[in-house]
Amino acid sequence: MTTPLLEMRDIVKSFPGVQALRGVSLSLRPGEVLALLGENGAGKSTLMKVLGGAHRADAGTIAVNGRETVFQTPQDSRRAGVAVIYQEFNLVPGLTACENIFLGQEVTRAGFVSRTQERRRATELFQRLGVEINLNVPCRLLSTAQQQLVEIAKALAFEARIIVMDEPSAALTSHEVERLFDIIRDLKKHGIGVIYISHRLDEIFTIADRVTVLRDGTNVGERPLSEMSRSNMIELMVGRELKDEFPHRATAIGPARLEVMGLRSGSAVRDVTFTVRRGEILALTGLVGAGRTETVRLLFGADRRDSGDIRLDGKLLSIRSPRDAIAAGIGLLTEDRKHQGLVLRHSVRENFGVPNLDRLSQFGFVQQQQEREEFGRYVSTLKIKVPSQEQLAGNLSGGNQQKVVLAKWLARNCEVLIFDEPTRGIDVGAKYEIYLLMNELVAQGKSIIMISSEMPEVLGMADRILVMHEGRITGEIADARRATQEQIMELAVA
Amino acid sequence: MFLVLVLLCAFFSVATFSEQSPTGEAAAKQLASVIEQQFGSTPRVLIVAREQPGDSEFASSLEQKLVTSGAKVHAVVKGEPRDAREALVKISSSGEQLDVIACTPAAAAWLVFSDLKNDFPMLDNPQIVKPQSYRWPNFLKAANVLNIANQIAVIAIIAIGMTMVIITGGIDLSVGSLIALSAVLAGLFIRDYAGATNASAIGMTSACVAAILICGLIGAFSGAMITLFRIPPFIVTLAMMLVGSGLAYLLAKGESIYQIPDSFVWLGRGASFVNLPNAVVLMLVLYGAAQVLMSRMKLGRYIYAVGGNREAARLSGVPVRSVLMFAYIASALLAGLGGVIMASQLKSGSATYGNMYELYVIAAVVVGGTSLSGGEGEMCGTLIGALTIAVIQNGMNLTNVESYTQKVVLGLVILGAVLLDKIRHGE
């Protein structure tokens, strides 16, 4: 048996109040793709931060190529040949791809950066990856997929032997994911070990060789992929059997509630018209960049629309800002919780309060007792795991953050709720709870617009599906239960 | 932060420990009881003090106390050794006798009292008594503590608005110039429209309110530039800093405006509420109100939310523009108020006021633990920050540190205070 490329043994790491890792072990062989699975908060990210030198383990050993090493800083880990590509990329937005790749390892000649040589090497790297990236524009102008490629090129540039990818497919279209897999297969051929973290089980079956599952900071299973089934994985992750990924509901769809007519904004949204009915979940799908998020942002007043009428229960609404939309009874759960949904540095109670303060205050004074009681009710009904109401939102896992955002809007008793990628970056258990909640809302006669890039979610949850492409609605599937992924994909690339 | 303030106070208390002679009422009370103990309730007394506010108060108060308890006060001398000699001669020549000569510590050392037995044998050898001196830090004297509070009132009041602005994630560099503008405007209005040195209370009040409101308008302009055109607050308020200062010089025509009635100093120097300076009372009231606003009111929560994550706040229905407008207008109004207080303290208005104050105000906010990245901070922290700066300045004055050295030390202490805070919070 060959020496493992990487051997992490009994890694322990605790933060104030939380034991994140309780003795986790993991090994990676050359040319292998190891899938790291687990619910949010299971310790995957912490483990990878220990590997990347961003956190220091309290106990445990790390050996690279059989030699024990100590990672105190990201530089140490990089020198040992480890590259971690985090979900939020580590690129300087204002620098070009080339400058980012060689940041900290500039090719110099007599103390001066040799741009020509850097460019040549960058071009070689991208050729190896089989892609073309404009080397002259700042990285912020590149697409998410392109930025990811820059990260991979950066890892290759310092000859990393171990590459960690944390949720690399989260923001990619299915086509881009395919290309990413081709690149990973090529990396394998060169003997590079890849640790792949994803919540999308389908992808793991496509690309992984072996699976390690974490739960509550411990290993709960490590097996070759061939010995694992989908339900195995879910069972290991959540520690219980999930009968169904999508809960059933009895639908009782009523008359049209929200009517959107001729919504336009530049080239992003071109003449979008649709209605949502009482007790209905309407899915808005399509490829990333099709204009789905842009459409709901216009509807919510977050961006200014060029034209378009919005009616609720037949009454024309004058929506000029999110404030107007909220007053009319529309709520938006944004796709980007960290930047748009929550104030991470503030407590969960304060976050809950913000959209509800006009209701919760008298003569400008916040009724704090009432606020606490009301939030307390949501904490228990939504099973939000927080040690106290004063816990900072930034310290919660994705699933719990999403539940806090949900509580914000549920407390407003909105008639129409817009869920933009409601389960992105959320583990299986919390996903199920959010689905149950959506079912309960429509059962109460609310209307839901759901944007999702995950096909199974669209097919499993929606009553009706609208497909968008390049800012237009290119198709409607009236009975989502009979739809197929192929049918949707065809409309999405139309 | 509070710890730093306490440590500084302790340090300066030790450093300024020295001999204290009581004066005024307290000294009179002490001495009256001493005289009663030693000489019974009907002694014959001469009271001697210098012609100074504290001493003179001592003399009058002591006289009143002794007379009420039944003593016979032959004379009260307030003046020079020569006056004391005249009084002694007069008493002596009228055939009266004295038991006690009650003096202030300074007067007790006068040569005239050095050999009473020979100089004035007729007086029946009176005893000289003076208030007992004691050891106490100069720093902790009531007068000095109030002085610290009064010195910092202007900066502390403006720091309230600055804290709000910084919590929203912005900055306001124009406050120093608005102090000057407001002081000049208030002075001009009083001189030109309210009757100059004959101005009435109502006239002066209206002039001040008008000056403060004009500053508020400038704040509204800054707020509009920031919210409507999305120009960074640093740049907008930097521009307004130049505009405000320039306007102040233009309006004052480079002169100091001093044609103001004496009663104008009521706000800056007066003390009409249990001996607390009016400016300090005003400062405490404003801090109380700001604390309630920030912690208990919807608007306060909105200010924190906007600074913590502007987009999340907007998408949660927070009227972000109005909240920002409020912060900049509040900051400007408070800067205007600071200018009026300063004009009152100095009984004149000049365009040179408030120079560099924006930096001291920002320093107070930052030392108080408010994060420049917004979303976090406390009003009481800012008050502690302002007091810390005042204590450092005052303490160095008392320990005779040179003013240039003071600047160096102040800069380093600000840095040290923030560093200590970071370390304590484990960042």
Side-chain angles (χ1 to χ4, degrees):
Chain A
M1 202 176 132
T2 53
T3 357
L5 195 55
L6 172 74
E7 182 89 59
M8 296 177 88
R9 271 190 189 284
D10 303 321
I11 305 288
V12 175
K13 173 78 194 174
S14 55
F15 297 104
V18 198
Q19 174 108 36
L21 299 175
R22 310 158 190 262
V24 177
S25 302
L26 171 155
S27 74
L28 180 70
R29 289 186 277 269
E32 180 186 49
V33 176
L34 174 74
L36 191 58
L37 280 181
E39 290 190 282
N40 285 338
K44 294 168 304 194
S45 300
T46 312
L47 186 65
M48 290 306 107
K49 282 186 177 157
V50 168
L51 180 59
H55 288 331
R56 233 190 125 175
D58 301 336
T61 58
I62 303 174
V64 177
N65 282 323
R67 198 146 21 99
E68 211 168 281
T69 48
V70 181
F71 294 160
Q72 294 200 359
T73 63
Q75 282 75 27
D76 291 345
S77 140
R78 189 158 140 168
R79 236 171 274 134
V82 178
V84 182
I85 301 173
Y86 295 104
Q87 235 170 315
E88 290 88 18
F89 301 138
N90 259 332
L91 297 175
V92 182
L95 298 184
T96 65
C98 193
E99 286 161 337
N100 265 300
I101 289 172
F102 294 102
L103 193 62
Q105 47 176 349
E106 284 79 5
V107 180
T108 53
R109 185 182 284 169
F112 290 95
V113 173
S114 167
R115 281 170 180 278
T116 37
Q117 237 181 317
E118 281 192 353
R119 281 181 73 95
R120 212 189 43 197
R121 281 192 54 194
T123 319
E124 277 168 19
L125 286 171
F126 286 123
Q127 264 166 11
R128 185 175 150 195
L129 295 174
V131 289
E132 249 177 64
I133 302 270
N134 187 342
L135 295 179
N136 298 318
V137 300
C139 269
R140 67 185 146 81
L141 298 182
L142 300 177
S143 73
T144 316
Q146 287 174 323
Q147 292 189 18
Q148 192 171 54
L149 290 167
V150 175
E151 283 272 16
I152 296 175
K154 193 171 155 186
L156 294 178
F158 68 84
E159 282 158 8
R161 306 298 300 158
I162 300 162
I163 300 181
V164 180
M165 298 187 185
D166 191 358
E167 295 270 356
S169 59
L172 300 188
T173 62
S174 46
H175 179 69
E176 288 164 339
V177 172
E178 276 309 315
R179 198 172 55 191
L180 176 68
F181 286 173
D182 287 340
I183 290 170
I184 292 177
R185 286 184 197 110
D186 184 60
L187 295 175
K188 281 174 66 170
K189 261 184 244 156
H190 287 82
I192 292 173
V194 175
I195 298 178
Y196 192 93
I197 301 175
S198 178
H199 288 304
R200 298 188 184 170
L201 302 184
D202 299 338
E203 294 176 357
I204 286 162
F205 279 101
T206 317
I207 194 73
D209 301 310
R210 213 153 46 86
V211 179
T212 289
V213 185
L214 299 188
R215 193 202 310 149
D216 299 329
T218 50
N219 293 75
V220 289
E222 176 163 347
R223 290 175 218 174
L225 187 79
S226 48
E227 292 170 24
M228 273 227 179
S229 72
R230 194 183 167 88
S231 57
N232 272 165
M233 285 185 194
I234 295 178
E235 215 178 306
L236 281 173
M237 276 197 286
V238 299
R240 62 180 185 277
E241 207 178 333
L242 275 188
K243 288 191 190 67
D244 207 338
E245 272 183 78
F246 301 102
H248 292 290
R249 67 167 179 274
T251 46
I253 294 174
R257 295 213 70 179
L258 183 79
E259 296 167 90
V260 177
M261 277 183 68
L263 206 58
R264 280 170 200 276
S265 168
S267 61
V269 178
R270 313 174 195 200
D271 196 14
V272 168
T273 299
F274 64 90
T275 61
V276 192
R277 292 172 292 176
R278 187 185 161 84
E280 180 182 48
I281 297 182
L282 174 73
L284 208 52
T285 188
L287 300 175
V288 172
R292 302 167 306 173
T293 299
E294 290 78 358
T295 302
V296 294
R297 280 180 64 91
L298 293 182
L299 166 58
F300 189 63
D303 297 321
R304 191 162 298 174
R305 59 182 190 271
D306 298 340
S307 65
D309 289 342
I310 299 158
R311 285 188 172 78
L312 185 65
D313 293 329
K315 211 181 93 206
L316 187 67
L317 302 178
S318 152
I319 295 176
R320 296 163 154 272
S321 70
R323 226 175 140 63
D324 297 336
I326 292 166
I330 301 174
L332 169 68
L333 286 84
T334 55
E335 61 177 327
D336 182 349
R337 285 185 294 275
K338 288 184 177 161
H339 296 114
Q340 300 179 341
L342 292 168
V343 185
L344 297 178
R345 278 173 295 164
H346 291 175
S347 72
V348 286
R349 174 183 56 81
E350 285 168 305
N351 270 290
F352 166 80
V354 172
N356 294 300
L357 284 183
D358 39 358
R359 212 165 41 74
L360 289 171
S361 50
Q362 272 176 1
F363 311 113
F365 286 89
V366 179
Q367 307 296 301
Q368 301 198 344
Q369 186 61 30
Q370 198 189 336
E371 183 187 38
R372 266 196 200 94
E373 281 168 14
E374 209 172 284
F375 183 50
R377 279 203 297 279
Y378 283 103
V379 168
S380 53
T381 53
L382 298 183
K383 301 194 194 77
I384 306 177
K385 284 181 209 141
V386 283
S388 85
Q389 297 200 357
E390 303 310 311
Q391 173 77 4
L392 299 188
N395 293 348
L396 298 184
S397 69
N400 279 314
Q401 286 183 346
Q402 184 70 314
K403 285 181 187 175
V404 173
V405 177
L406 253 169
K408 267 168 65 168
W409 295 110
L410 292 182
R412 279 224 64 111
N413 202 19
C414 296
E415 289 305 314
V416 178
L417 270 173
I418 306 168
F419 289 77
D420 194 352
E421 302 284 3
T423 60
R424 169 173 293 174
I426 290 179
D427 58 75
V428 184
K431 264 186 188 175
Y432 191 78
E433 287 173 36
I434 285 170
Y435 294 146
L436 274 179
L437 223 115
M438 291 169 80
N439 283 352
E440 198 183 308
L441 285 169
V442 286
Q444 288 168 13
K446 314 282 192 211
S447 307
I448 290 179
I449 302 173
M450 177 183 80
I451 296 180
S452 177
S453 300
E454 287 189 54
M455 287 294 178
E457 184 170 277
V458 170
L459 295 172
M461 288 301 294
D463 295 306
R464 199 154 51 95
I465 302 170
L466 292 178
V467 187
M468 288 190 74
H469 177 69
E470 291 186 346
R472 287 196 180 83
I473 291 180
T474 48
E476 175 176 347
I477 301 171
D479 188 355
R481 234 148 293 189
R482 297 214 190 118
T484 61
Q485 297 205 21
E486 291 72 28
Q487 202 181 349
I488 295 173
M489 194 45 69
E490 208 151 292
L491 292 166
V493 296
Chain B
M1 276 305 78
F2 192 64
L3 184 72
V4 173
L5 181 59
V6 170
L7 285 175
L8 279 169
C9 288
F11 172 75
F12 284 122
S13 299
V14 173
T16 61
F17 209 71
S18 66
E19 194 85 11
Q20 302 292 339
S21 320
T23 57
E25 178 111 29
K29 205 169 162 190
Q30 185 210 348
L31 204 55
S33 71
V34 167
I35 291 171
E36 201 177 330
Q37 265 174 29
Q38 289 185 8
F39 305 92
S41 59
T42 55
R44 294 154 296 178
V45 186
L46 169 69
I47 298 171
V48 185
R50 285 174 303 172
E51 184 75 61
Q52 279 178 5
D55 287 11
S56 158
E57 193 191 339
F58 158 79
S60 319
S61 173
L62 181 62
E63 180 188 11
Q64 194 206 340
K65 282 191 169 58
L66 289 175
V67 168
T68 15
S69 71
K72 180 168 187 340
V73 177
H74 280 289
V76 178
V77 177
K78 293 179 189 174
E80 313 264 314
R82 189 162 44 91
D83 304 312
R85 180 174 297 275
E86 272 171 23
L88 286 171
V89 169
K90 202 171 148 199
I91 294 167
S92 174
S93 59
S94 64
E96 304 273 356
Q97 290 179 327
L98 276 179
D99 298 313
V100 187
I101 302 178
C103 300
T104 58
W110 287 350
L111 271 177
V112 61
F113 301 126
S114 61
D115 194 9
L116 288 171
K117 212 184 266 179
N118 295 321
D119 289 354
F120 302 97
M122 306 295 291
L123 286 179
D124 195 21
N125 192 20
Q127 299 291 306
I128 306 227
V129 293
K130 59 180 180 181
Q132 202 63 46
S133 68
Y134 58 96
R135 292 182 65 79
W136 184 253
N138 280 329
F139 176 78
L140 281 186
K141 278 157 76 176
N144 188 54
V145 172
L146 287 181
N147 184 34
I148 292 175
N150 206 24
Q151 287 299 310
I152 203 63
V154 171
I155 285 176
I157 286 173
I158 299 171
I160 293 174
M162 187 67 85
T163 307
M164 292 181 192
V165 167
I166 290 181
I167 288 177
T168 67
I171 191 100
D172 187 351
L173 298 176
S174 65
V175 292
S177 298
L178 292 185
I179 292 176
L181 183 62
S182 165
V184 166
L185 283 173
L188 275 181
F189 289 150
I190 292 173
R191 187 187 70 188
D192 298 347
Y193 304 108
T197 48
N198 299 319
S200 64
I202 296 171
M204 285 189 288
T205 311
S206 325
C208 293
V209 169
I212 293 170
L213 286 180
I214 290 173
C215 289
L217 278 180
I218 292 183
F221 180 77
S222 300
M225 286 290 143
I226 290 160
T227 55
L228 297 181
F229 300 103
R230 292 177 176 267
I231 306 174
F234 186 96
I235 294 168
V236 173
T237 57
L238 180 71
M240 294 325 287
M241 171 174 121
L242 296 171
V243 169
S245 175
L247 279 179
Y249 277 102
L250 280 177
L251 290 168
K253 298 192 175 71
E255 301 167 353
S256 176
I257 298 156
Y258 54 87
Q259 297 89 339
I260 292 172
D262 289 340
S263 57
F264 185 63
V265 302
W266 177 84
L267 180 62
R269 296 189 209 160
S272 41
F273 183 73
V274 290
N275 274 337
L276 284 172
N278 293 327
V280 174
V281 173
L282 183 60
M283 171 183 91
L284 293 175
V285 167
L286 286 172
Y287 267 93
Q291 177 66 31
V292 170
L293 172 79
M294 294 305 281
S295 62
R296 290 289 149 117
M297 297 189 71
K298 187 168 75 171
L299 180 58
R301 293 275 296 271
Y302 281 174
I303 289 174
Y304 281 108
V306 167
N309 185 340
R310 191 164 163 173
E311 185 65 3
R314 190 174 77 99
L315 293 176
S316 296
V318 174
V320 174
R321 281 183 183 167
S322 317
V323 170
L324 289 175
M325 285 297 285
F326 171 82
Y328 286 96
I329 292 172
S331 175
L333 286 174
L334 289 167
L337 177 61
V340 167
I341 295 173
M342 197 179 268
S344 167
Q345 283 172 341
L346 302 169
K347 217 191 109 191
S348 61
S350 159
T352 57
Y353 291 177
N355 186 25
M356 295 262 286
Y357 265 51
E358 59 279 343
L359 299 183
Y360 288 108
V361 170
I362 293 169
V365 176
V366 173
V367 168
T370 297
S371 148
L372 276 181
S373 50
E376 285 167 296
E378 300 283 341
M379 273 304 158
C380 40
T382 297
L383 181 57
I384 291 170
L387 288 175
T388 305
I389 291 174
V391 162
I392 295 167
Q393 285 182 326
N394 175 274
M396 286 193 293
N397 278 334
L398 292 180
T399 47
N400 298 319
V401 177
E402 202 198 351
S403 75
Y404 300 132
T405 320
Q406 282 195 14
K407 262 193 172 173
V408 175
V409 174
L410 188 61
L412 294 177
V413 170
I414 289 171
L415 205 56
V418 174
L419 194 66
L420 195 75
D421 204 40
K422 288 260 181 218
I423 292 168
R424 251 163 35 92
H425 288 91
E427 280 171 40

